[in-house]
Amino acid sequence: MKKWYRLFVFLLLGVNFLIDIICVYSFHFTFDQEVPAILLGTNSNEAVEFIHTFIPYSLVFIIIVSFLFLGFVYIKLRQLPLCIKDQYCIVLLLFVFLSLLSFAAISNKNFGNVSITKFYTILNATSPPDLKDYAVRPQLLTLSEKKPKNIVMIIGESFSKTHSSLYGYHKNTNPCLKVLQNNGLLYVFNNIQTPALNTVPVFQSLMSTYKPEFKDSINWFECITMQGVLKAAGYYTSWISNQSQKGFHDNVIAKFAYLCDTSVFAGNRFAAMGKKDLDEIIIDSVSKYKNMGDEQHYRFYFIHLMGSHPDFKKRYPLSFDIFKADDYPDKKKEQRTILASYDNSILYNDFVVSKILNLFSEDEAIIFYFSDHALDVFDSRDDYVGHARYNDSKSLIAGSNIPFMVYMTPSFQSDFPNIKNILQSKLDCYYRIDDMIYTIMDVIGVKFEDGNRDNKQSLLNLY
Ligand SMILES: [Zn+2]
C-alpha cells in the first residue's frame, strides 16, 4: 500500500475519532444522523460560537494528547517488523479500539455505539429543497366569515419555563409579561410541549401538517404549510427574523420564510451573533413592515427571535446584566455565571417580547408566543448546558416542556369573545406545537375540505 494512502486513512480515522470524542465529551450523546442535520441547519458564525461554548480547554488538551499519542504509535508501527503484511490493518484496528475505549473512559452511558460511517452520513445529508416548488394551495371550507385582522406568531428560542417567573421561578425574569398577564391581556399555558429538541425538526412540523412521527413515510417538504393555508384564507404573510438567513446548506427555516409575501432578516444575514444583532433590532423591523400589503388584507406575522440561544451572554446588552454569579449561592461554583447569563437573557427577552406585543396593542390582534424548544440548563447533569438530549429522560423533559402564552388585545377580546373564553379555559390542557396549524385554522375559521385532516388537534377545538 502506498505511503500517502496509509497516511490518508490514518487521518480519516483520526478525524472520526475526534468527532466521537467531542460528541461524547461535550454532548453526552453518540454521533448519529441528527448531528449533520443540526450542523447543516447552523451557520458558520453559530458554529464558531458553538465551539466557544461547548469545547472547553480540557477537551482541547485531551484531543492534542490523543493525537500526539496516536502519532507516536503510528511512527513506532512503521518501524516495527510486522508479522501482518499490511500496517494499515493494525492502524485501523487500533483506532476502532481507541474509539471504543474513549467511550468507555469518558461516558458511562454511551458505550458501545461507535459510528465509523459518519463521513458517509455527513456526505449524504441533503440540503433542504425550495419549498415554493412544492407549495400546494389547500382546498379549504370557510366556517366563519369573521376572522381576526392581525395574527402574530412570535417564536422564541431556547427559553426554558423553569427559568420563567411566569411559571413560578424564584428569580423575577418576566416582569413585563407579568404586568400584561395581570391586566388580563396575556394568558399563560402550563402544559405545552414541543415535538423535537432542535430548531430544524421543530420548524418542519410546526410550520406544516408534517409530524416527526411520520419519519420518512412522507416528505416533510410536501406537506401543507401554514403559509399555504393563510394565503388561501386571504392573509398577507410576513416573516421577520433575527436569526440567520444563511446556513451551511441554506437553512430550513429560511426556506419557510421565503414562502411568505414578505421576508425580512433584521440582523446580519449570516448570523445574529454579535452584540449589534440583539433581538431589540427586530422591534424597528416590525414597526417598519407592519401593515405591509394591500389595505384589504388580513395580516399574519411570523416573528423569529434569537432569544436565549447559546452563547447566553451574547444575547443581552450591558443594561440587562442584572443577575450575577453571587445571586446563586446554593448552586455549584462552575454553574453560577452560566445561570446568571441565562436568566439575564430571559429578562431581556421579556423586555423585547413585551415591546413587540405593545406594537399591536391598539389593533385587533391575537399573538401566540412560545419557544421552539427549551434547553437543558443543568437539568440532567451538573456539567451539561445545551440542547436537550433524547437519551436522557431528565434532559428530554427539560427540553420539551416549553413556555407558551397568548396575548389578546382589548379590541380582539371584544370582537372574538368566544375564542378568548375558550383559550382562557384551556390553560392547563396538554398540547403539542406541531399541531399549531390546526389552532390557527380554528382562529381564522377554516377547515380542510377533505375530512381526513380534521381540526382534531386544535387548542381551540372550535369546529
Ligand atoms: Zn432552537
Side-chain angles (χ1 to χ4, degrees):
M1 193 176 293
K2 287 231 166 58
K3 250 186 189 171
W4 65 265
Y5 185 71
R6 243 178 0 233
L7 191 69
F8 177 71
V9 171
F10 184 89
L11 281 173
L12 206 66
L13 289 164
V15 174
N16 185 68
F17 172 64
L18 185 74
I19 296 173
D20 276 341
I21 212 171
I22 291 172
C23 277
V24 177
Y25 190 94
S26 283
F27 299 105
H28 313 290
F29 62 56
T30 48
F31 187 94
D32 56 23
Q33 293 92 322
E34 274 195 48
V35 178
I38 295 166
L39 288 176
L40 297 176
T42 317
N43 60 62
S44 52
N45 281 332
E46 258 188 283
V48 172
E49 219 165 82
F50 159 93
I51 289 165
H52 280 303
T53 312
F54 291 109
I55 305 185
Y57 292 120
S58 55
L59 180 59
V60 175
F61 179 74
I62 290 177
I63 291 166
I64 292 171
V65 170
S66 308
F67 271 79
L68 285 176
F69 172 72
L70 293 173
F72 175 75
V73 173
Y74 179 71
I75 291 163
K76 284 288 163 204
L77 271 177
R78 285 180 57 193
Q79 292 164 355
L80 282 174
L82 294 174
C83 333
I84 298 174
K85 265 188 180 173
D86 207 345
Q87 292 178 5
Y88 161 65
C89 290
I90 288 195
V91 175
L92 181 99
L93 283 172
L94 188 76
F95 268 99
V96 172
F97 176 70
L98 282 171
S99 267
L100 279 165
L101 206 68
S102 72
F103 280 95
I106 296 166
S107 167
N108 50 8
K109 286 185 181 168
N110 296 312
F111 180 73
N113 185 7
V114 178
S115 163
I116 55 166
T117 57
K118 53 181 68 70
F119 295 107
Y120 177 81
T121 315
I122 289 172
L123 292 173
N124 273 288
T126 47
S127 56
D130 192 342
L131 297 180
K132 279 183 185 159
D133 295 344
Y134 295 90
V136 273
R137 193 181 171 92
Q139 297 302 312
L140 301 176
L141 284 178
T142 303
L143 304 167
S144 163
E145 287 303 331
K146 197 176 160 205
K147 54 195 174 193
K149 292 201 174 67
N150 296 281
I151 308 175
V152 187
M153 190 184 284
I154 306 175
I155 307 150
E157 170 66 68
S158 302
F159 176 12
S160 292
K161 61 194 252 195
T162 48
H163 286 257
S164 164
S165 52
L166 292 171
Y167 289 93
Y169 185 50
H170 60 281
K171 297 230 173 339
N172 192 14
T173 48
N174 283 117
C176 303
L177 294 180
K178 186 74 193 172
V179 172
L180 298 174
Q181 187 188 29
N182 290 342
N183 291 341
L185 297 169
L186 185 76
Y187 295 87
V188 177
F189 289 73
N190 298 309
N191 296 306
I192 311 290
Q193 292 197 319
T194 184
L197 302 174
N198 293 289
T199 307
V200 169
V202 171
F203 270 77
Q204 283 170 345
S205 55
L206 167 68
M207 295 303 302
S208 71
T209 53
Y210 182 77
K211 281 170 168 293
E213 287 82 2
F214 296 166
K215 296 216 163 79
D216 289 338
S217 66
I218 50 171
N219 290 322
W220 63 270
F221 48 85
E222 287 179 321
C223 291
I224 292 173
T225 61
M226 242 188 241
Q227 286 93 328
V229 169
L230 290 165
K231 278 182 192 175
Y235 275 80
Y236 185 91
T237 52
S238 301
W239 189 288
I240 303 168
S241 170
N242 190 33
Q243 291 221 7
S244 301
Q245 187 175 5
K246 293 281 173 190
F248 282 143
H249 266 232
D250 269 337
N251 82 44
V252 170
I253 292 107
K255 302 281 183 190
F256 280 111
Y258 302 146
L259 287 178
C260 288
D261 296 309
T262 304
S263 55
V264 181
F265 289 84
N268 184 318
R269 153 177 116 84
F270 286 96
M273 64 168 298
K275 289 280 184 195
K276 66 181 192 311
D277 284 343
L278 291 168
D279 270 345
E280 66 193 66
I281 62 168
I282 221 167
I283 300 167
D284 280 345
S285 302
V286 176
S287 315
K288 190 172 159 194
Y289 292 96
K290 201 166 161 263
N291 301 329
M292 282 274 287
D294 195 304
E295 264 310 302
Q296 308 297 322
H297 271 110
Y298 293 88
R299 296 187 180 86
F300 194 104
Y301 304 85
F302 296 93
I303 299 177
H304 193 199
L305 302 173
M306 202 59 185
S308 299
H309 192 288
D311 186 354
F312 312 140
K313 60 181 181 298
K314 289 187 177 163
R315 303 292 164 234
Y316 54 90
L318 211 58
S319 54
F320 276 81
D321 190 21
I322 305 293
F323 301 111
K324 308 278 185 193
D326 295 346
D327 297 331
Y328 302 80
D330 54 328
K331 297 290 177 189
K332 288 214 157 93
K333 230 177 174 170
E334 319 79 75
Q335 298 179 345
R336 293 176 193 168
T337 316
I338 297 169
L339 286 168
S341 58
Y342 186 63
D343 288 350
N344 284 328
S345 75
I346 289 178
L347 185 68
Y348 177 63
N349 175 254
D350 174 76
F351 159 78
V352 173
V353 171
S354 63
K355 282 272 182 210
I356 298 172
L357 299 182
N358 284 331
L359 288 177
F360 291 89
S361 61
E362 301 297 317
D363 302 317
E364 181 192 272
I366 176 168
I367 304 182
F368 296 87
Y369 170 49
F370 52 91
S371 183
D372 56 347
H373 54 79
L375 285 187
D376 177 350
V377 187
F378 306 119
D379 293 285
S380 62
R381 298 167 59 114
D382 280 343
D383 63 349
Y384 183 76
V385 186
H387 282 77
R389 292 161 290 126
Y390 289 100
N391 64 354
D392 183 311
S393 58
K394 277 187 191 167
S395 190
L396 184 61
I397 291 168
S400 47
N401 288 299
I402 50 165
F404 184 104
M405 47 207 92
V406 181
Y407 172 85
M408 290 172 270
T409 61
S411 101
F412 179 89
Q413 296 196 18
S414 63
D415 292 349
F416 295 87
N418 192 20
I419 293 181
K420 184 225 161 181
N421 291 335
I422 293 174
L423 284 175
Q424 207 174 354
S425 71
K426 298 281 180 90
L427 302 184
D428 289 318
C429 85
Y430 286 83
Y431 189 67
R432 248 177 46 170
I433 58 166
D434 47 334
D435 283 334
M436 269 312 279
I437 190 166
Y438 303 105
T439 298
I440 297 301
M441 288 173 76
D442 266 4
V443 171
I444 62 179
V446 295
K447 73 186 243 177
F448 290 120
E449 215 167 56
D450 65 37
N452 287 336
R453 303 189 196 90
D454 235 330
N455 300 3
K456 286 185 192 103
Q457 304 91 343
S458 160
L459 195 53
L460 289 157
N461 272 340
L462 272 179
Y463 301 104

